[in-house]
Amino acid sequence: MDLRQLQYFMCLYEEGNVTRAARRLNVVQPALSMQIAKLEAEFGEKLFERSPQGMIPTAAGRTMFRLFLPILRDIAAAKQEIGNLAGRISGQVSIGLIASVTQSVLSRTIEIFSNQYPSVELSVADGYTATFVEQVTSGQLDIAVINRPRKRLALETTDILNEEMVLVSGADRPPPLPDAVRLSDLAQFRLVIPSKRHGLRAVLEQAAEAQGIDLKPQLEIDTLISIAELVARTDWVTVLPSIAVHRGLADGTLRATPIVEPTIVRTLAWLHHPRRPLSLAAVRFMETMNERLIEAARPGAHLDAARAPAESHQAE
């Protein structure tokens, strides 16, 4: 078994199709099939089953992928770090981001980072906190931004910021909401919030449980953009961190009302594996995104964002 065979296996596993995998590897299909056959002969196990849907990994294939993925990532990271000694930051970084981050600062972060480090390849996935914990553990992701849970994780977490969650309503919603609402007041509203598989829902449930309150939303939606659109057009309300709806706050279609008694705070944190040193490229990406998140979360940030287009137009 050699490194090339492992790379061929990983590519076929990810693509699920011999033609696509061979094209990605820039080899002919028989060469790819031959290397997979050699691996199967060496391990004495069939790694894939051919089906109309493509190449389906067997139990042995899935186990091999899980075990060898972090090893190949470590080799790639070592190559990156040695290359970085010459002062040029390069390599690949696989990142997981929860939806409230992708919808708020991802595009601006990538714009800034790519201009500064054009030789770094980024792979970004969105999803749930629980999923990212599994993927960082298995080596599928290098780093991830999560809603930090109360229970202690076996992985390394680095806090980014604490952010209060707010009651979000349409700007023209009748009747107007008070200056602040209590958590217990939510029962009087048509409430739409993420489902229980969502990290933000876990934060809400923890706060409600501590107050002896049973959250009973009339509607559950996990897509935060869809929640924001519904709230902006109707009398539904939601509870989300300001970062998740900062565009609606900036353009005036949404309004945020503080929640008191108690305040509900979520903690954004980076997640990575303690046994896999972070590459310099990953560290630089984390620093860039931290700056954007802290900027977006500061009080009045949505007002600045709303002013910027107007000021730019006046300058023209």
Side-chain angles (χ1 to χ4, degrees):
M1 177 177 59
D2 58 33
L3 184 59
R4 182 181 60 174
Q5 289 173 334
L6 289 178
Q7 291 170 333
Y8 282 16
F9 165 78
M10 291 294 182
C11 186
L12 181 56
Y13 187 100
E14 292 170 352
E15 294 292 344
N17 179 279
V18 174
T19 302
R20 289 198 301 268
R23 186 182 303 121
R24 177 174 150 188
L25 292 165
N26 197 28
V27 299
V28 295
Q29 294 184 35
L32 171 60
S33 299
M34 181 176 67
Q35 295 302 327
I36 297 301
K38 286 182 178 180
L39 278 176
E40 291 179 329
E42 181 170 348
F43 286 106
E45 295 281 353
K46 199 169 184 62
L47 300 176
F48 295 96
E49 294 287 354
R50 189 179 295 273
S51 76
Q53 290 73 40
M55 301 295 284
I56 308 300
T58 63
R62 292 191 297 271
T63 300
M64 183 171 169
F65 181 84
R66 176 176 59 82
L67 293 175
F68 281 99
L69 178 62
I71 294 174
L72 289 177
R73 287 197 179 278
D74 287 344
I75 293 173
K79 289 181 178 179
Q80 291 173 24
E81 290 303 301
I82 293 172
N84 292 340
L85 294 176
R88 178 170 169 267
I89 298 178
S90 61
Q92 298 177 330
V93 185
S94 297
I95 308 142
L97 300 174
I98 53 178
S100 57
V101 174
T102 60
Q103 293 171 19
S104 57
V105 301
L106 175 60
S107 59
R108 180 60 176 153
T109 299
I110 290 178
E111 177 187 1
I112 294 172
F113 182 84
S114 296
N115 286 335
Q116 292 180 329
Y117 307 105
S119 298
V120 177
E121 297 178 16
L122 300 176
S123 174
V124 181
D126 62 357
Y128 302 120
T129 292
T131 303
F132 291 152
V133 170
E134 295 176 0
Q135 292 177 334
V136 171
T137 299
S138 67
Q140 293 174 264
L141 293 175
D142 298 313
I143 52 177
V145 174
I146 63 169
N147 293 303
R148 181 165 59 78
R150 285 190 302 179
K151 66 177 182 179
R152 185 176 179 83
L153 298 174
L155 300 170
E156 190 79 23
T157 58
T158 304
D159 290 353
I160 303 170
L161 58 84
N162 295 322
E163 183 186 16
E164 289 187 12
M165 297 180 69
V166 293
L167 183 69
V168 182
S169 60
D172 300 324
R173 180 189 184 278
L177 295 176
D179 293 336
V181 297
R182 296 187 299 270
L183 184 58
S184 58
D185 294 334
L186 295 183
Q188 63 185 278
F189 300 111
R190 298 180 74 193
L191 182 64
V192 50
I193 55 177
S195 72
K196 291 188 177 181
R197 62 175 169 266
H198 202 289
L200 290 176
R201 178 63 176 272
V203 175
L204 278 173
E205 292 285 353
Q206 290 164 11
E209 182 181 337
Q211 297 293 310
I213 298 170
D214 185 16
L215 287 178
K216 294 181 178 179
Q218 293 177 269
L219 181 61
E220 295 179 344
I221 303 176
D222 283 341
T223 308
L224 301 188
I225 289 179
S226 298
I227 292 179
E229 290 177 349
L230 175 66
V231 168
R233 297 176 181 177
T234 67
D235 64 345
W236 289 84
V237 300
T238 189
V239 179
L240 292 173
S242 296
I243 282 180
V245 291
H246 86 287
R247 292 177 183 171
L249 297 174
D251 64 24
T253 58
L254 296 174
R255 180 175 55 193
T257 301
I259 297 175
V260 297
E261 300 181 20
T263 56
I264 307 172
V265 178
R266 67 98 173 245
T267 300
L268 278 180
W270 283 106
L271 186 72
H272 66 91
H273 202 293
R275 295 184 181 178
R276 299 188 194 112
L278 291 173
S279 67
L280 188 56
V283 171
R284 292 291 179 264
F285 183 86
M286 293 165 69
E287 292 171 347
T288 304
M289 176 153 279
N290 286 354
E291 292 173 359
R292 303 285 78 73
L293 284 168
I294 293 170
E295 179 183 17
R298 67 179 174 80
H302 64 280
L303 298 178
D304 294 341
R307 286 193 209 103
E311 291 173 354
S312 175
H313 180 72
Q314 290 171 5
E316 294 173 359

